[in-house]
Each structure stands twice: as structure tokens, then as C-alpha cells.
């Protein structure tokens, strides 16, 4: 069994069941391999969890970079795409996944939190700054506060016990949480298209 196949199956199960709750015995059974095969690639479960989170985030990062590097999109369209891509991943996360990382898998939690803050929040912040410099966002808007509110709101809809992705579609959440918020800060003649 290839390591990538193990990582992809493991992260799918960790995010939907919980990193602590889903066991190596269950992983081995589902993949029809021995635990020895798993241990051939990973020292322990913590390494598997950390590497599977890293693998998933690399996939997300690649997709985000494609949109961020797209010269056909303006800064606000890139912000919308960042959230759209992230929402596609987050919709399947169970709160127990994040709790499990924080509580039991410090290495994986550090990787996840670093990605959330350094990659997503900072990219959103700098894209909003760029949009303001290009007169897409009004001058009176506090970009730091807006980016923090976006970041905080996403945490609230995905990492709490009531995951709104269970009730609403990704597009509805994107429209109400991100796009409607952006409409409130853009200059009057800017039309948000994505």
C-alpha cells in the first residue's frame, strides 16, 4: 500500500469521525492491510495524523495558490475563492476532529493552526489591503478588523458543536457570510462577481 493512499484515506476518516475516535485498527481493516503496513510508513498514530493533516493542507494550498496567482481575478474575487475552496474542505469536518487535534495531537494541531493563521488569514488580509489600494474597498474600512471578523466567523460556523454546513449549502454560507459582508465594504460602483 502506498503512503499517499494511507494519508488520503486517513484524513478523510479523521475529519469525518474524529482524529482520536478513528483507530489504526479501523484504518487497517478498511484498507485491508495489516497495522504493520501502517507502521512501515509512520512511527505512530500521531505521525499519521500530522502527516495526513499536512497532506490535506498541501492539497488546499495548491488549489488556493492557483486562484491567488490567477491574473484574471481581482483581489476580492481571490478572497471569495479562498473561502469557497476552504469551505469545500471544512464542510465535512466534524468538530471532534479539531478538538481531537488540540487535545491529543499537538504536532498536527500546530500544522493546522499555522495554516489557518499564516496562510488563510494573512492572505485574506493582504488581498483586502490590495483591494483597498485599488479603490475597490472604501478608504474608511478597517481591513485588520474585517479580516479578523471573517476569520472569527468561519471558526464559529465550522468548529462549534452545530456545524452550519450540516444545515446550509456551501454556496449559501459563502453568500451570506463572505459575499454579503464584502458588499458592505466595497465602493458603490463595484459589482462583486465570482
Amino acid at each position: 500500500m502506498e503512503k499517499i493512499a494511507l494519508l488520503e484515506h486517513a484524513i478523510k476518516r479523521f475529519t469525518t469521525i474524529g482524529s482520536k475516535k478513528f483507530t489504526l485498527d479501523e484504518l487497517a481493516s478498511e484498507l485491508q492491510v495489516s497495522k504493520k503496513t501502517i507502521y512501515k510508513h509512520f512511527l505512530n498514530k500521531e505521525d499519521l495524523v500530522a502527516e495526513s493533516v499536512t497532506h490535506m493542507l498541501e492539497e488546499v494550498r495548491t488549489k488556493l495558490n492557483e486562484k491567488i496567482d490567477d491574473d484574471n481575478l481581482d483581489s476580492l474575487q481571490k478572497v471569495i475563492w479562498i473561502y469557497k475552496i476552504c469551505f469545500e474542505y471544512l464542510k465535512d469536518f466534524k468538530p471532534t476532529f479539531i478538538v481531537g487535534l488540540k487535545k491529543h495531537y499537538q504536532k498536527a494541531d500546530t500544522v493546522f493552526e499555522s495554516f489557518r493563521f499564516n496562510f488563510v488569514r494573512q492572505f485574506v488580509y493582504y488581498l483586502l489591503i490590495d483591494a483597498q489600494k485599488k479603490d475597490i474597498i472604501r478608504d474608511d474600512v478597517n481591513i485588520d478588523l474585517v479580516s479578523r471578523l471573517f476569520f472569527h466567523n468561519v471558526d464559529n460556523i465550522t468548529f462549534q458543536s452545530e456545524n452550519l454546513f450540516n444545515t446550509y449549502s456551501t454556496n449559501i454560507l459563502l453568500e451570506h457570510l463572505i459575499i454579503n459582508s464584502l458588499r458592505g465594504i466595497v465602493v458603490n460602483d463595484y459589482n462583486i462577481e465570482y
Side-chain angles (χ1 to χ4, degrees):
M1 162 123 318
E2 289 186 34
K3 185 176 183 177
I4 297 296
L6 278 167
L7 291 171
E8 289 175 353
H9 189 82
I11 195 63
K12 189 179 297 183
R13 303 302 277 155
F14 290 148
T15 57
T16 57
I17 293 173
S19 50
K20 181 69 174 169
K21 205 171 187 180
F22 186 66
T23 67
L24 292 182
D25 287 326
E26 290 170 312
L27 178 62
S29 174
E30 288 180 9
L31 293 174
Q32 298 179 345
V33 297
S34 68
K35 280 177 64 174
K36 184 178 179 181
T37 301
I38 296 170
Y39 284 117
K40 183 173 87 176
H41 297 289
F42 309 99
L43 292 174
N44 51 39
K45 186 175 177 186
E46 182 165 358
D47 278 351
L48 172 61
V49 173
E51 284 195 48
S52 64
V53 167
T54 301
H55 178 75
M56 175 192 64
L57 295 177
E58 286 300 322
E59 185 178 288
V60 173
R61 185 177 283 117
T62 298
K63 290 180 180 182
L64 293 176
N65 280 329
E66 287 173 12
K67 293 299 180 182
I68 290 166
D69 294 339
D70 187 341
D71 293 333
N72 295 315
L73 299 173
D74 68 37
S75 298
L76 279 192
Q77 290 170 319
K78 291 176 183 184
V79 169
I80 293 167
W81 272 105
I82 285 173
Y83 281 103
K84 187 175 179 69
I85 291 165
C86 289
F87 281 10
E88 284 302 317
Y89 284 86
L90 293 173
K91 71 180 181 185
D92 296 323
F93 281 25
K94 298 293 181 233
T96 55
F97 170 64
I98 302 302
V99 170
L101 292 184
K102 289 188 181 314
K103 202 171 185 181
H104 304 287
Y105 303 104
Q106 186 61 45
K107 188 171 156 185
D109 184 55
T110 300
V111 168
F112 187 74
E113 290 302 320
S114 174
F115 176 82
R116 285 178 58 225
F117 182 78
N118 293 324
F119 194 79
V120 178
R121 184 176 181 279
Q122 287 187 351
F123 264 117
V124 169
Y125 174 80
Y126 290 114
L127 287 168
L128 293 174
I129 289 286
D130 184 61
Q132 195 171 47
K133 287 178 182 173
K134 293 178 178 171
D135 295 323
I136 296 171
I137 293 178
R138 297 188 329 264
D139 287 333
D140 65 323
V141 173
N142 182 326
I143 298 299
D144 183 57
L145 178 59
V146 169
S147 66
R148 286 172 188 248
L149 289 171
F150 278 172
F151 195 64
H152 179 71
N153 284 339
V154 171
D155 279 358
N156 284 337
I157 67 161
T158 55
F159 303 129
Q160 304 303 317
S161 58
E162 181 189 359
N163 184 333
L164 291 179
F165 286 110
N166 294 334
T167 308
Y168 301 100
S169 72
T170 302
N171 285 335
I172 294 290
L173 289 172
L174 185 69
E175 181 74 30
H176 285 76
L177 179 66
I178 305 302
I179 297 169
N180 285 343
S181 296
L182 290 173
R183 284 187 181 119
I185 65 172
V186 298
V187 294
N188 289 336
D189 61 344
Y190 180 82
N191 185 24
I192 296 178
E193 295 178 12
Y194 64 99

